[in-house]
Amino acid sequence: MALHISKSKYLNGLQCPKLLRPSFTQRAPNPDPSPCQMHIFNTGHEIGDLAKLVYPDGIEVPMNYEDLAATDRDTAELLNRPSAERVPIFEASVLIDNRYCRVDVLVPIPDETGEEPNRWDLVEVKSSTRVRDVNINDVAFQYDALTRAGIVLRNLYLMHVNTAYVRGEEFDVQQSFPLEDITDRAHNVLEYVPRTVDKMLTVIAGPDPDTPIGKRCTSPYTCPLIPHCWSVLPENNVTDLYYSGVRAFGYLDEGLFSIVDVPDERLTHQQKIQKKAIASGAPYTDAAHLRGWLDELVYPVYHLDFETMNPALPPFPGLRPYQRIPFQFSLHIQDSPGAEPRHVEFLAREPGDPRAAMVAALHAIGDEGSILAWAMGFEKGVLNDMAELFPAEAEWLVELTDRMVDLMVPFRSFWYHHPDQKGSCSLKAVLPAITELSYDELDIADGNHASRAYDEAIYGSMEPEEKEQVLDHLLAYCKLDTLAMVEILGALEAV
Ligand code: SF4
């Protein structure tokens, strides 16, 4: 088959020409820049399937990966039906002029005057909460391909998540996923599509491009080839600088690769400390500030961590799309500095709203003592959400937030900085840098994975044995989050 540009390849190519070349993309586990990150709560629907709820009389064009032209023919059959028989088409497929695209939905426009038969609206369905430039380019590419195939389009829409929607007893898909008209914005970039496609075809047929590392590596998507392309950089390079942002790419352009090469006058206070720690190979400590902070802690100290999920489709009345729902916490309790901790945990093991049971379990927290969390804004937010939901517990839950102390502060303030943190103050970076513990051996090792795994275990179709295994992995993961805090606090006490 002739070379063609699909819409995902088009978006890849806009981000970086290297992403058009198999010599690069074969090194990546998933070169598609738009994997669906969503895990939908107890519905079985993918985001794209939502359109089928909005257009219940629509017909889907079956995909034939072996023969794209066959899919194209099936689409043509649906498009060319007599006016009275036309229905919305899901996954309409067009293969023309080196372009290939599948369209989420084509909606027929009734021909009221009899003068404009066979016109369609195009609907692109996204799990995002707003229109982004990448969506405009995506729809413009589709418009270009479809009009080349003789399909007459009227309006172009993005169906995306409305975060202002609050679910009632029933889920209202039209309120939750409204249409936003992007016709004018797509038309504004349309003229660039043909020559961009031509350039991409030239890149695909030519030698590997030598596109440098830059802002494109993380925008609009984090490029899956970063481990490959960035591997040429030395250890402790400028992309590891604390909050370097795009400035790091400027340093690379200037030939400043290592953090130690960057002059002090161009670094922030924290970055200078990071540079100093790297140069000395030893942790930097500000003992006075650290001691002052430790002395403010009130024992017993409670190390608290929540795991939450953020479903696009609110599963319970009163929830908004993407609103967090806590389903698990871990709590380590230390009665005095360095004391062996006691452990308390909660995990909702069955479907349903877990929040009432969680609040009850949180009463393991006593009336006195500091409550430690890492980046505590998140834990405070969860407690405040539950205070709103349960008025009878609100005063107590808000009091808990008043007792919270952020264990990240000594690291964010650079009162302690280990060179192995690589400029990061995340728990995952600090833990292995200053203790013997790490997340390497765990089956679930980050919050996104935990959320997805929980969704699949509780609301998916897992066998009971597999479900129990996943729940055990979740318990191990959340437990390590708070044990990590115990160990890190111990390491700070020992400085
Ligand atoms: S990591 Fe950067 S340079 Fe390498 S392919 Fe991705 S965007 Fe291009």
Side-chain angles (χ1 to χ4, degrees):
M1 193 204 309
L3 209 54
H4 65 263
I5 303 283
S6 66
K7 64 177 183 169
S8 61
K9 191 173 273 186
Y10 182 76
L11 298 178
N12 278 334
L14 286 180
Q15 180 165 356
C16 179
K18 284 180 175 172
L19 290 171
L20 295 167
R21 298 281 306 167
S23 53
F24 284 91
T25 53
Q26 279 163 4
R27 294 165 179 150
N30 177 10
D32 185 343
S34 56
C36 184
Q37 301 294 328
M38 305 299 308
H39 27 99
I40 311 301
F41 202 100
N42 197 23
T43 65
H45 296 296
E46 296 295 334
I47 286 293
D49 288 346
L50 287 169
K52 293 175 185 161
L53 300 177
V54 178
Y55 305 104
D57 54 342
I59 295 178
E60 180 168 347
V61 177
M63 182 65 195
N64 185 340
Y65 290 100
E66 303 299 315
D67 184 1
L68 295 183
T71 315
D72 202 19
R73 285 193 297 276
D74 289 342
T75 301
E77 189 277 315
L78 289 169
L79 283 167
N80 294 318
R81 284 180 169 187
S83 183
E85 293 175 24
R86 284 189 286 138
V87 293
I89 305 172
F90 305 120
E91 305 294 344
S93 163
V94 167
L95 178 63
I96 189 164
D97 295 349
N98 303 100
R99 291 138 170 91
Y100 176 72
C101 73
R102 280 170 75 75
V103 183
D104 287 342
V105 198
L106 283 178
V107 184
I109 309 300
D111 180 20
E112 280 154 10
T113 62
E115 291 172 1
E116 294 181 298
N118 215 358
R119 290 191 308 156
W120 302 79
D121 282 343
L122 180 153
V123 179
E124 173 74 9
V125 185
K126 282 282 175 271
S127 58
S128 53
T129 56
R130 63 184 173 84
V131 179
R132 302 169 68 201
D133 287 347
V134 69
N135 306 134
I136 301 298
N137 287 322
D138 183 345
V139 168
F141 175 80
Q142 295 179 55
Y143 184 95
D144 175 80
L146 267 64
T147 51
R148 280 167 187 268
I151 299 168
V152 182
L153 294 174
R154 185 184 66 172
N155 292 337
L156 311 173
Y157 295 103
L158 195 77
M159 181 188 281
H160 64 84
V161 174
N162 170 20
T163 51
Y165 167 70
V166 179
R167 181 186 162 145
E169 278 308 315
E170 297 299 322
F171 177 70
D172 183 334
V173 69
Q174 276 167 341
Q175 291 281 328
S176 183
F177 283 78
L179 294 178
E180 183 162 347
D181 190 335
I182 56 169
T183 313
D184 290 344
R185 291 176 66 184
H187 277 283
N188 284 343
V189 299
L190 199 55
E191 65 173 297
Y192 304 108
V193 176
R195 62 173 183 263
T196 306
V197 169
D198 287 346
K199 270 193 209 163
M200 290 182 182
L201 290 168
T202 307
V203 170
I204 290 171
D208 283 343
D210 58 357
T211 315
I213 292 166
K215 196 177 157 193
R216 67 176 63 79
C217 300
T218 53
S219 174
Y221 302 104
T222 299
C223 179
L225 289 174
I226 284 178
H228 166 70
C229 293
W230 293 25
S231 64
V232 297
L233 297 175
E235 176 138 24
N236 293 314
N237 63 71
V238 290
T239 64
D240 291 331
L241 260 176
Y242 181 69
Y243 272 99
S244 65
V246 292
R247 216 169 300 153
F249 303 122
Y251 292 142
L252 292 177
D253 290 343
E254 291 178 51
L256 296 170
F257 296 107
S258 291
I259 288 173
V260 290
D261 293 339
V262 183
D264 275 3
E265 57 271 21
R266 299 179 68 177
L267 299 175
T268 64
H269 171 68
Q270 291 94 333
Q271 289 170 342
K272 277 184 224 168
I273 290 174
Q274 186 187 356
K275 178 180 168 184
K276 198 170 173 177
I278 291 166
S280 70
Y284 168 90
T285 53
D286 177 341
H289 272 107
L290 203 50
R291 192 70 257 160
W293 183 85
L294 288 166
D295 288 347
E296 293 286 311
L297 294 178
V298 178
Y299 282 80
V301 162
Y302 298 87
H303 303 259
L304 176 64
D305 180 70
F306 289 113
E307 299 302 328
T308 61
M309 61 192 310
N310 308 60
L313 310 186
F316 314 121
L319 283 177
R320 294 185 305 280
Y322 292 122
Q323 187 171 336
R324 64 189 157 209
I325 304 167
F327 61 83
Q328 179 180 15
F329 73 76
S330 173
L331 184 69
H332 274 95
I333 306 165
Q334 278 185 296
D335 291 325
S336 59
E340 195 60 33
R342 285 172 280 131
H343 186 234
V344 178
E345 62 191 355
F346 170 86
L347 175 63
R349 302 184 81 91
E350 300 300 332
D353 190 341
R355 292 173 293 178
M358 172 170 279
V359 170
L362 277 171
H363 278 278
I365 300 176
D367 293 339
E368 288 186 352
S370 303
I371 301 170
L372 277 189
W374 195 276
M376 68 180 183
F378 179 76
E379 269 66 28
K380 273 192 172 183
V382 171
L383 291 170
N384 282 325
D385 287 351
M386 291 195 287
E388 254 182 58
L389 188 65
F390 302 110
E393 299 276 16
E395 194 180 339
W396 174 70
L397 287 163
V398 172
E399 272 171 24
L400 294 186
T401 67
D402 292 340
R403 289 163 52 193
M404 291 194 82
V405 178
D406 199 335
L407 182 54
M408 196 190 207
V409 163
F411 298 92
R412 214 173 42 209
S413 308
F414 278 61
W415 299 331
Y416 184 96
H417 184 79
H418 195 290
D420 290 350
Q421 286 173 233
K422 304 279 182 209
S424 169
C425 293
S426 76
L427 184 59
K428 269 71 177 174
V430 171
L431 182 68
I434 72 169
T435 77
E436 299 293 312
L437 293 178
S438 87
Y439 289 79
D440 288 350
E441 302 300 315
L442 294 184
D443 287 271
I444 292 174
D446 70 68
N448 285 336
H449 187 186
S451 172
R452 196 169 58 248
Y454 181 76
D455 180 25
E456 287 164 4
I458 300 296
Y459 297 98
S461 50
M462 262 182 207
E463 294 299 322
E465 202 176 311
E466 190 187 357
K467 173 183 166 183
E468 286 308 307
Q469 215 172 32
V470 171
L471 296 182
D472 285 348
H473 293 324
L474 282 164
L475 289 171
Y477 167 63
C478 197
K479 184 177 182 181
L480 182 55
D481 270 346
T482 50
L483 184 62
M485 290 160 58
V486 172
E487 293 289 317
I488 289 169
L489 183 62
L492 294 182
E493 288 281 1
V495 167

